Amino acid sequence: MDGPGGNIPEYGVGELAGAIKRTLEGAFQRVRVRGELTEVKPYPSGHIYMSLKDENAKIESVVWKSAVSRLGLKPENGLEVIATGRVSTYGDRSKYQLIIEKLEYAGEGALLARIERLRLMLLKEGLFDAERKRPFPLLPNVIGVVTSERGAVIQDIRTTLARRFPRHLILWSVPVQGEGSAEKIAAAIHGFSALRPGGPIPRPDVLIVARGGGSLEDLMAFNEEIVIRAAAECTIPLISAVGHETDTTLIDFASDRRAPTPTAAAEMAVPSRVDLAADIAQRGFRIAQCIAARLRESRLHLHRAERGLPDLPSMVNQLRQRLDDRGERLRTALPGFVLAKRQEVARLGAHLRHPREAIASGRNAVQAIDQRMNAAWARNLARREAAPALARLSPAPVLGLIRERAARVEGLAARLEAVSYNAVLARGFALVQSTGGKTITAAAEVSPGAKLTLTFQDGAVDVSAAPARPVQGLLF
């Protein structure tokens, strides 16, 4: 072929794109590029597309799905990083790109800026509020620790607990730095929080998240958002003890207490057994002193009140003596009272007239009235001629009145007969009296040979008393 370029080889588009790709990959192989992440876009396929730029240029980048878990940090817009990977091309669009295999923070300033942005965001959400802080038990039974099983941290915690107050310790071993450490720390915190009381694994009363000192990059796992949110959501009181006293991580703000060192965290978790025993002894002494003072004061008040009270035993004895006296008087007075009443009844009974006498007296009075009325009536009849008005009078009302009064007298006579002791005498009983007129009601009141008067229905008989004998064979 003649003319300019006649000796230049001819390439197809695909061949040229492949040649350029091989040239780039062969010339650069693995590179480390520093820049700011932008246009970060995770895709459903699992790949992450982004751009890496500085003030002079921008290069498109991609993280394949297989490398995402090994990146070392989560890509975010505006994050200054150092990307490690290889330069390649994307022939379909005729552009080159950086295939990233690892990301690192570009210096301490970038880390601090990222930490500060995350701190402000979580602070705005209220994850660091003082109202969220939980109280700690005085003496926990179980203490959970999230740290690495290798290293001096767990040994320092064990030694401090054994020295101050031995407690049951449960270790959840996790890596405390490096790739995937933040996820495992958060999973351990959630795991302890999910334990239920009474389960096969004891639920801790206090949780310690700890690691030793290191650089800012070494402590970055405790500045990750997943760890901070796990600490804020934990239902167990949590102590953060990350790094040395001057180190500060975001988990310190989300935890319930911050300890400058793991040893200090163990000292916060349990009290000193010696100090606790001394405090208990001092409190016991003060309680005993207060009780003794209260007893002395109560005794003093009691003595003062006692002087103002009467002699109660003496008063009780006097009342008992008065009760005995009244009882004795009542015991002797009752028979005398009954005897006096009986004598009064007998005296009144002796003056009572026999019902027949009262009835006869009433009948005589009625007959006298009847005679007087008949005489008056006869006189009135003799005067009829002289006084015609009297002839018209009828004797029926007067006779009715007489019959009414006669019936009333008969009723009163029957009632008097019913209550009279003479009716009792008519049934065969007798009234026993002494010669002085005293009514005798019991055989014990009669001495042998005593003179008695027996009153029957039709008269009285004087008798002498024979010796008393018991009554037998009475049937009721």
Side-chain angles (χ1 to χ4, degrees), residues 333-470:
L334 186 58
F337 175 77
V338 173
L339 180 60
K341 291 299 181 182
R342 285 177 177 173
Q343 292 176 352
E344 184 177 358
V345 169
R347 181 178 58 81
L348 294 175
H351 293 83
L352 289 176
R353 291 190 302 169
H354 195 279
R356 290 191 181 91
E357 298 178 2
I359 293 172
S361 176
R363 285 176 178 173
N364 293 332
V366 170
Q367 290 176 0
I369 293 173
D370 183 54
Q371 293 174 0
R372 291 170 60 189
M373 289 296 296
N374 290 332
W377 185 255
R379 288 194 298 271
N380 289 333
L381 290 178
R383 298 174 183 174
R384 283 183 179 179
E385 295 179 357
L390 293 177
R392 293 193 298 269
L393 294 177
S394 175
V398 176
L399 294 177
L401 179 62
I402 292 173
R403 287 193 299 271
E404 179 183 353
R405 295 295 177 88
R408 182 177 179 185
V409 170
E410 292 294 336
L412 291 175
R415 292 174 59 186
L416 183 60
E417 184 69 21
V419 298
S420 174
Y421 72 92
N422 291 316
V424 179
L425 297 179
R427 293 199 299 270
F429 293 91
L431 175 63
V432 182
Q433 293 178 312
S434 64
T435 55
K438 176 183 176 182
T439 301
I440 305 300
T441 60
E445 299 179 11
V446 180
S447 57
K451 301 297 183 179
L452 302 174
T453 301
L454 303 182
T455 303
F456 297 95
Q457 178 186 9
D458 55 349
V461 177
D462 294 329
V463 297
S464 297
R469 63 179 183 276

